[in-house]
Amino acid sequence: MRTSVFSVLRGGAVVTAVLASAGLALPQAAGAATPASAPAAATAVAAAPVVHRLAATAPKVVAPATSYGCAGSQIDTYNVKLSSGAVWGVVHLYYDAATRDNCAVNVKTTAGGYGTSTWTTVDLSSSSSGQHSDDGYYTEYAGPVSVYAPSECVAITASVGSGTSVAKLNTGNVHCG
């Protein structure tokens, strides 16, 4: 994955941002300066007026992927939604080809209360390994949970919230093989 590095002067403090080339960009604050030593590509990204092209359609997921604790490569994501369609969490599913383990985490979105303690769950199951779960009052995400599932499907259930306001996910069998 390519990354761009640049600095933005904000309120007298220098904030260094590392952005993935997947289209994420930090808007440059009015009057902010980009250091003369910054690469031209980073300067162009910093001056872009758009925060990122997914902002209107996908809620912000705050935690970086490297902090989730899953090995392998991310193979899919699933939205944890209210019946109204509001997305309160995003389940990230990983697969480790070396161990043949699947791993999942349910990361709360800002709409789902990222940073505040709310009931958050993630369950990952396969026919041979059974169900592995993590649930509790979390501020960022539930998981990781892993199952060994060679040549079989996995199923994911997840939730964020409690009482009458619960965002839910139930994938049924996915990623069979």
Side-chain angles (χ1 to χ4, degrees), residues 6 9 22 58 60 68 76 90 96 111 117-118 121 125 147 153-155 175:
F6 64 93
L9 183 62
K60 182 178 180 186
Y68 299 148
D76 220 334
V90 177
D96 187 339
S117 182
T118 56
T121 69
S125 62
V147 296
C153 304
V154 294
H175 291 283

Coordinates of all heavy atoms in Angstrom, one line a residue, residues 6 9 22 58 60 68 76 90 96 111 117-118 121 125 147 153-155 175:
F6 N 2.5 14.2 4.9 CA 2.6 15.7 4.9 C 2.3 16.2 6.2 O 1.7 15.5 7.1 CB 1.8 16.3 3.8 CG 0.3 16.1 3.9 CD1 -0.5 17.0 4.6 CD2 -0.3 14.9 3.5 CE1 -1.8 16.9 4.8 CE2 -1.7 14.8 3.6 CZ -2.4 15.7 4.3
L9 N -0.2 22.7 9.6 CA 0.0 23.6 10.7 C -1.4 23.9 11.2 O -2.3 24.4 10.5 CB 0.7 24.9 10.3 CG 0.9 25.8 11.5 CD1 1.9 25.2 12.5 CD2 1.6 27.1 10.9
A22 N -5.7 5.1 -1.0 CA -7.1 4.7 -1.3 C -8.1 5.8 -1.4 O -9.3 5.6 -1.4 CB -7.6 3.7 -0.3
A58 N -20.2 6.3 3.2 CA -19.7 5.4 4.3 C -19.4 6.2 5.6 O -18.7 7.1 5.5 CB -18.5 4.6 3.8
K60 N -17.6 7.1 9.0 CA -16.2 7.0 9.3 C -15.9 5.9 10.3 O -16.5 5.8 11.4 CB -15.7 8.4 9.9 CG -14.3 8.5 10.2 CD -13.9 9.8 10.8 CE -12.5 9.9 11.1 NZ -12.1 11.2 11.7
Y68 N -6.4 -4.1 15.0 CA -7.4 -5.0 15.3 C -7.0 -6.3 15.8 O -7.8 -7.0 16.4 CB -8.3 -5.3 14.0 CG -9.0 -4.0 13.4 CD1 -9.2 -3.9 12.1 CD2 -9.4 -3.0 14.2 CE1 -9.8 -2.8 11.5 CE2 -10.0 -1.9 13.7 CZ -10.2 -1.8 12.3 OH -10.8 -0.7 11.8
D76 N -13.1 -9.0 3.3 CA -14.4 -8.4 3.2 C -14.7 -7.5 4.3 O -14.1 -7.5 5.4 CB -15.5 -9.5 3.1 CG -16.5 -9.2 2.0 OD1 -16.8 -8.0 1.8 OD2 -17.1 -10.1 1.5
V90 N -18.8 -1.6 11.5 CA -18.3 -2.3 10.2 C -17.5 -3.5 10.7 O -16.5 -3.4 11.4 CB -17.4 -1.4 9.4 CG1 -16.9 -2.1 8.2 CG2 -18.2 -0.1 9.0
D96 N -6.1 -15.8 6.9 CA -4.7 -16.0 6.9 C -4.4 -17.3 6.2 O -4.8 -18.4 6.7 CB -4.2 -16.1 8.4 CG -2.7 -16.3 8.5 OD1 -2.0 -16.7 7.6 OD2 -2.2 -16.0 9.6
A111 N -21.1 7.2 14.1 CA -22.6 7.2 14.3 C -23.0 6.2 15.4 O -24.0 6.3 16.1 CB -23.3 6.9 13.0
S117 N -18.6 3.9 25.6 CA -18.8 2.6 26.0 C -20.2 2.1 25.7 O -21.2 2.6 26.3 CB -18.5 2.4 27.5 OG -18.6 1.0 27.8
T118 N -20.4 1.3 24.7 CA -21.7 0.7 24.4 C -21.5 -0.8 24.1 O -20.5 -1.3 23.8 CB -22.3 1.4 23.1 OG1 -21.4 1.2 22.0 CG2 -22.7 2.8 23.4
T121 N -20.8 -6.5 19.9 CA -20.5 -7.9 19.8 C -20.0 -8.3 18.4 O -20.2 -7.6 17.4 CB -21.8 -8.7 20.0 OG1 -22.7 -8.5 18.9 CG2 -22.5 -8.3 21.3
S125 N -18.4 -18.1 13.1 CA -18.5 -19.5 13.3 C -18.3 -20.2 12.0 O -18.4 -19.7 10.9 CB -19.9 -19.8 13.8 OG -20.9 -19.4 12.9
V147 N -11.7 -18.4 13.7 CA -12.0 -19.8 13.6 C -11.2 -20.4 12.5 O -10.8 -19.7 11.5 CB -13.5 -20.0 13.2 CG1 -14.4 -19.5 14.3 CG2 -13.9 -19.3 11.9
C153 N -17.6 -22.8 4.9 CA -18.1 -21.4 5.0 C -17.9 -20.9 6.4 O -17.7 -21.6 7.4 CB -19.6 -21.4 4.7 SG -20.0 -22.1 3.1
V154 N -17.9 -19.5 6.6 CA -18.0 -18.9 7.9 C -19.3 -18.1 7.9 O -19.8 -17.7 6.9 CB -16.8 -18.0 8.2 CG1 -15.5 -18.9 8.3 CG2 -16.6 -16.9 7.2
A155 N -19.8 -17.8 9.1 CA -21.0 -17.0 9.3 C -20.6 -16.0 10.4 O -19.9 -16.3 11.3 CB -22.2 -17.8 9.7
H175 N -18.0 -16.6 2.2 CA -16.6 -17.0 1.9 C -16.4 -18.5 2.1 O -15.5 -19.0 2.8 CB -15.6 -16.2 2.8 CG -15.6 -14.8 2.3 ND1 -14.9 -14.4 1.2 CD2 -16.2 -13.7 2.8 CE1 -15.1 -13.1 1.0 NE2 -15.9 -12.7 2.0

